[in-house]
Amino acid sequence: MKNENSLILSFETSCDETSVAVIKNGKEILSNIVATQIKSHQRFGGVVPEVASRHHIEQITICLNDALQKAGVTYSDLTGVAITYGPGLVGSLLVGITAAKVVAWAHQLPLIPVNHIAGHIYATNFDHPIEFPALALVVSGGHTELVWMPKEGEFKIIGETRDDAAGETYDKIGRVLGINYPAGPQVDQMAHLGHDTFAFPRAMEKNDNFDFSFSGLKSAFINTVHHADQINATLDKNDLATSFQQAVIDVLVSKAMRALDKYPAKEFILAGGVAANRGLRERLDQELEKRDVEFVKAPLKLCGDNAAMIGAAAEMLQRHGAKADMSLNANPGLEFEWAENEEE
Ligand code: KG4
Ligand code: ZN
């Protein structure tokens, strides 16, 4: 007889992490294997899509076997197979989708399609089930989005970056400082050692919308460093990092607080790779203490891309009837379907 519990095998290959997990009832991580490709992309200063898909092909069956073994389960114990089908790099997504389809088809299991952003948000569901209505700030190497969730299963993007994502900006300015990809963690550390002495722009901070723009900040930063190089001036790298991080945090936090004024959330969620940023967590702690909103941060080990978060989102989506067949394809620009006809 089939397991009474939900036991989902989940795959995540949207960018440069190959990950496979086994998740029980959407809440318990039995295994979460993550094979990172960071070293292979470092010499290029960012993720090279062709290199990423080749690595996924090499790693996917190894991660799958490890995930099942570590969880102590076999295919016959599973109740579903979850897969990130977008947004992300098409060649990378396709590797995970193919693996998930093969397992689902061979073992007659339902295939559950998961939006990567929903996955990042559900990284918070392990310690504490999400309470609705909720507002999430998802900040990563590929995304900077404010997501409104009036009830379980409904996601609406109310604001997003118009150009670079926050993490991408960290990685690009980090390159100018001679920091290896991904630069976020080191810039974050340096930012705690310097002083805010450079007046970098805070684009769109005062605009009456919830969108972001980081390309002006990136250019201002790079121009400042290049100009100093040309005149043989030495700038304090920690001060540069502090001023940069301050500008990023000011914009993210002021937009998020403005969104909370309009969207009455019970819970505010911070997720995605940049959610590991110490400065951002501290600043949101201070701001949210003044409001009647619970602040839920993704656990540090689940901020970056991983399949556990995909399995947690899949359990919820499966309860809401999400199901795909063998025609499921990668959708690099996947957006949320929005069920309700909202006023705007
Ligand atoms: O979520 P993630 O693993 O991958 C994407 O979906 O993009 O996020 C990776 C991004 C990288 O840009 C990395 O530099 C950034 O998250 N990151 C950070 C920190 N830790 C990782 N950015 C700022 N501060 C951090 N502590
Ligand atoms: Zn991600």
Side-chain angles (χ1 to χ4, degrees):
M1 212 188 93
K2 260 284 180 211
N3 204 331
E4 294 267 298
N5 291 307
S6 151
L7 200 64
I8 293 178
L9 176 73
S10 52
F11 291 85
E12 158 61 45
T13 63
S14 67
C15 191
D16 61 342
E17 257 92 32
T18 316
S19 183
V20 185
V22 178
I23 303 300
K24 190 173 171 185
N25 296 330
K27 289 201 276 293
E28 201 182 324
I29 303 176
L30 301 190
S31 62
N32 183 30
I33 308 298
V34 183
T36 179
Q37 313 174 355
I38 283 175
K39 282 239 159 345
S40 304
H41 299 285
Q42 259 170 355
R43 67 197 155 110
F44 304 107
V47 179
V48 182
E50 289 77 6
V51 174
S53 19
R54 201 163 343 117
H55 276 289
H56 287 308
I57 292 169
E58 286 167 8
Q59 291 296 322
I60 194 88
T61 47
I62 299 170
C63 292
L64 168 60
N65 290 333
D66 283 359
L68 291 170
Q69 196 183 24
K70 182 146 187 246
V73 303
T74 63
Y75 289 115
S76 60
D77 299 318
L78 300 172
T79 58
V81 181
I83 177 63
T84 304
Y85 71 115
L89 303 169
V90 66
S92 293
L93 289 164
L94 281 170
V95 177
I97 291 174
T98 307
K101 278 186 190 172
V102 168
V103 175
W105 184 78
H107 299 280
Q108 295 296 298
L109 290 163
L111 185 63
I112 312 152
V114 180
N115 180 311
H116 182 75
I117 304 295
H120 271 301
I121 294 170
Y122 270 76
T124 61
N125 201 56
F126 294 106
D127 291 344
H128 156 109
I130 298 176
E131 286 184 49
F132 300 90
L135 181 71
L137 174 63
V138 181
V139 266
S140 73
H143 309 279
T144 304
E145 274 155 19
L146 278 163
V147 186
W148 169 236
M149 294 173 287
K151 29 182 144 92
E152 189 182 78
E154 286 186 9
F155 301 85
K156 184 185 189 187
I157 294 181
I158 58 162
E160 62 194 322
T161 182
R162 300 213 177 154
D163 38 57
D164 294 353
E168 182 184 3
T169 316
Y170 269 91
D171 297 336
K172 287 180 175 164
I173 67 100
R175 211 184 311 176
V176 179
L177 295 179
I179 300 170
N180 270 341
Y181 168 85
Q186 199 177 328
V187 174
D188 187 13
Q189 274 181 12
M190 291 164 66
H192 281 80
L193 303 173
H195 300 96
D196 184 3
T197 53
F198 296 89
F200 289 135
R202 278 120 171 100
M204 300 179 66
E205 192 184 10
K206 304 270 185 288
N207 291 24
D208 190 22
N209 58 39
F210 305 117
D211 286 344
F212 305 93
S213 165
F214 293 105
S215 68
L217 170 61
K218 174 189 69 184
S219 304
F221 187 99
I222 295 174
N223 290 343
T224 303
V225 174
H226 283 173
H227 181 250
D229 283 350
Q230 278 162 3
I231 59 168
N232 274 331
T234 310
L235 301 180
D236 185 306
K237 288 187 177 182
N238 290 340
D239 290 353
L240 280 165
T242 309
S243 297
F244 165 79
Q245 178 146 307
Q246 203 56 47
V248 173
I249 293 175
D250 279 352
V251 177
L252 289 176
V253 174
S254 65
K255 289 269 167 154
M257 293 308 112
R258 196 116 47 80
L260 274 177
D261 292 339
K262 176 161 179 199
Y263 293 88
K266 239 186 184 170
E267 186 171 306
F268 181 85
I269 293 172
L270 177 66
V274 183
N277 187 276
R278 190 148 64 96
L280 180 59
R281 290 167 97 92
E282 287 167 359
R283 181 73 173 280
L284 282 168
D285 268 332
Q286 289 163 11
E287 290 296 325
L288 290 164
E289 215 173 274
K290 301 176 204 155
R291 292 172 181 252
D292 189 21
V293 180
E294 190 172 359
F295 182 25
V296 182
K297 309 169 194 100
L300 284 177
K301 62 179 188 324
L302 297 180
C303 283
D305 290 347
N306 67 85
M309 67 189 197
I310 302 303
E315 188 273 338
M316 177 278 294
L317 291 166
Q318 193 174 32
R319 279 191 280 107
H320 287 265
K323 200 169 180 240
D325 61 23
M326 290 298 135
S327 66
L328 180 71
N329 205 348
N331 187 343
L334 180 66
E335 291 184 6
F336 286 115
E337 284 171 26
W338 176 243
E340 284 186 359
N341 283 324
E342 283 268 291
E343 69 285 359
E344 353 153 63

